[in-house]
């Protein structure tokens, strides 16, 4: 049942190209996106004043990335919230807003409660869900199914990746319907999404190098993931993978925020992973990495082929194929999943069933 892999997590990491392809195939026809099965009309999309994205854990990280992509492409303001916070504050939701719930299981208690809260206020709800017929899928006004298939490993990989893709698809379609991008750009973005599965396959072919790197870092006490913009959203997910299956303390930081306190934690040999997929933020994050290095940090850089001058700064570099930078999270997360996995294996831990965690959190 693990298809020759030692753990479900590794099997599911390798299922990502197919999961993305299936999700794309379900909504892309003849090179254009068709969301008619979701039941959200063009007029409704045009009328959205504000998007509220609500989720927990990795689904929240997918939503964090979506915020940058939707705002930049579709020009709709997006607010991202943890479901456990959203439901307990004074909600001043815009009636013409759209509440987007993101959940693999469709059963996460806080996300379900947030959905009910939004519905009771008469706001339209759209769920991005993996499990067909789950509570969130049944109760939301509209559903976008991710087609990741069953995910067994507690640490999410392919479900998270399809959540990212679903958000990107919404961003591109909303952008088109609202006239924020022209036909050429629209078709170009859809074609680019179509290249992601093959690019992920290419990253997976290089996994032995990451295994080597992970074995060297398996005794680390603290790891910092830093990035800006979408790279910050990816940092959050990379850090969670490290924590949940490797039991190594790690933090994700918006790179520019380090010097406001956290940099005092950097000592000789502390691992700092800089994520650099966004060209306009590249130099800024590199300079934050240099600040860490001068305090003794051991630096890993995760960037796109072509950015070779990172080798002047980082001690270890991993490259991902070029893509439209809005979609970079889909590629950059792969090496981070692999590092989390290999560190966990090197430490002899229970990769698929980490301590204290359940696959689906149905308590509040
Ligand atoms: O089923 P959901 O997507 O609602 O689950 C949300 C989180 O519990 C989940 O993403 C969790 O953070 C993962 N185990 C992380 O790998």
């Amino acid at each position: 049942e693990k298809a020759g892999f030692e753990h479900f997590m590794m099997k599911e990491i390798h299922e990502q190209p197919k999961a993305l392809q299936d999700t794309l195939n379900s909504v892309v026809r003849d090179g254009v996106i068709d969301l008619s099965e979701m039941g959200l009309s063009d007029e409704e999309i045009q009328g959205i004043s504000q998007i509220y994205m609500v989720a927990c854990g990795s689904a929240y990280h997918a939503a964090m990335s979506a915020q940058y992509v939707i705002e930049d492409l579709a020009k709709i303001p997006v607010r991202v919230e943890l479901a456990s916070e959203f439901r307990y504050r004074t909600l001043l939701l815009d009636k013409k807003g759209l509440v987007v719930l993101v959940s693999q299981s469709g059963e996460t208690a806080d996300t379900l409660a947030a959905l009910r809260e939004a519905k009771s206020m008469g706001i339209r709800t759209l769920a991005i869900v993996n499990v067909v017929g789950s509570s969130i899928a049944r109760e939301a006004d509209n559903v976008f199914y991710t087609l990741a298939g069953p995910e067994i490993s507690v640490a999410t990989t392919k479900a998270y990746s399809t959540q990212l893709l679903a958000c990107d698809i919404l961003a591109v379609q909303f952008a088109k319907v609202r006239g924020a991008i022209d036909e050429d750009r629209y078709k170009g973005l859809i074609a680019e999404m179509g290249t992601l599965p093959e690019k992920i396959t290419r990253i997976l072919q290089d996994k032995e190098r990451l295994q080597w790197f992970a074995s060297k870092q398996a005794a680390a006490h603290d790891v910092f993931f830093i990035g800006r913009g979408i790279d910050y959203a990816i940092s959050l997910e990379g850090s969670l993978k490290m924590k949940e299956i490797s039991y190594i303390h790690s933090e994700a930081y918006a790179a520019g925020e380090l010097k406001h306190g956290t940099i005092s934690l950097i000592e000789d040999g502390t691992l700092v992973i800089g994520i650099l997929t966004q060209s306009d933020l590249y130099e800024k994050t590199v300079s934050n990495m240099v600040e860490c290095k001068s305090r003794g940090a051991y630096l890993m850089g995760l960037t796109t082929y072509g950015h070779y001058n990172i080798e002047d700064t980082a001690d270890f570099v991993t490259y991902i194929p070029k893509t439209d930078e809005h979609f970079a999270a889909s590629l950059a997360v792969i090496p981070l999943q692999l590092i989390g996995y290999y560190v966990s294996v090197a430490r002899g831990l229970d990769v698929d069933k980490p301590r204290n965690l359940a696959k689906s959190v149905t308590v509040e």
Side-chain angles (χ1 to χ4, degrees), residues 228-239:
R228 292 167 183 252
I230 290 175
D231 291 334
Y232 170 51
I234 305 166
S235 299
L236 291 166
E237 179 59 9
S239 174

Side-chain angles (χ1 to χ4, degrees), residues 209-210 213 224 226 271-277 282 285-286 289 298-304 307 310-311 313-320 332 335-336 339:
R209 235 184 118 246
L210 294 169
F213 174 74
F224 293 87
I226 64 170
L271 175 59
V272 175
I273 301 181
I275 299 165
L276 309 127
T277 70
Y282 179 88
T285 301
V286 168
M289 291 171 72
Y298 181 83
L299 295 183
M300 168 179 162
L302 170 51
T303 189
T304 316
H307 282 130
I310 189 64
E311 310 219 354
T313 309
D315 301 289
F316 177 84
V317 182
T318 282
Y319 295 99
I320 55 169
L336 301 180
I339 290 172

Side-chain angles (χ1 to χ4, degrees), residues 15-81:
E15 285 170 348
Q16 290 179 109
K18 180 175 185 309
L20 263 65
Q21 193 63 59
D22 289 348
T23 302
L24 266 176
N25 290 348
S26 72
V27 290
V28 177
R29 284 175 201 97
D30 302 322
V32 299
I33 296 166
D34 176 1
L35 299 180
S36 56
E37 270 173 39
M38 246 174 59
L40 204 59
S41 71
D42 283 1
E43 282 95 74
E44 282 161 345
I45 292 172
Q46 281 154 0
I48 298 169
S49 59
Q50 160 91 43
I51 293 177
Y52 307 94
M53 308 210 52
V54 186
C56 301
S58 294
Y60 170 77
H61 300 155
M64 280 289 290
S65 166
Q67 174 183 33
Y68 296 102
V69 181
I70 296 172
E71 288 193 335
D72 195 55
L73 287 177
K75 314 289 184 220
I76 306 172
V78 180
R79 179 168 174 164
V80 189
E81 283 192 72

Side-chain angles (χ1 to χ4, degrees), residues 28 54 94 107 110 130 141 162 165 198 237 262 280 287 291 338 352:
V28 177
V54 186
D94 190 326
E107 301 296 347
D110 282 317
N130 194 49
D141 297 313
T162 55
L165 183 67
E198 186 268 325
E237 179 59 9
T262 312
D280 55 338
S287 77
E291 287 160 6
L338 289 167
D352 287 333

Side-chain angles (χ1 to χ4, degrees), residues 224 226 253-264 266 272 288 291-292:
F224 293 87
I226 64 170
Y253 253 81
E257 188 63 14
L258 271 183
K259 57 173 102 43
H260 296 283
T262 312
I263 201 161
S264 63
I266 306 290
V272 175
N288 299 128
E291 287 160 6
C292 293

Side-chain angles (χ1 to χ4, degrees), residues 56-59 102-106 108 154-156 163 240-241 244 361:
C56 301
S58 294
V102 188
S103 175
Q104 185 283 128
S105 62
T108 300
V154 165
T156 181
Q163 288 165 350
L240 182 61
K241 290 279 97 61
E244 65 179 338
V361 183

Side-chain angles (χ1 to χ4, degrees), residues 14-15 39 49 57 66 69 90-92 97 115 159 186 211 214 229 244 252 265:
H14 281 81
E15 285 170 348
S49 59
V69 181
T90 305
L91 282 175
L92 304 174
L115 161 69
Y186 176 64
Q211 182 172 20
E244 65 179 338
L265 293 171

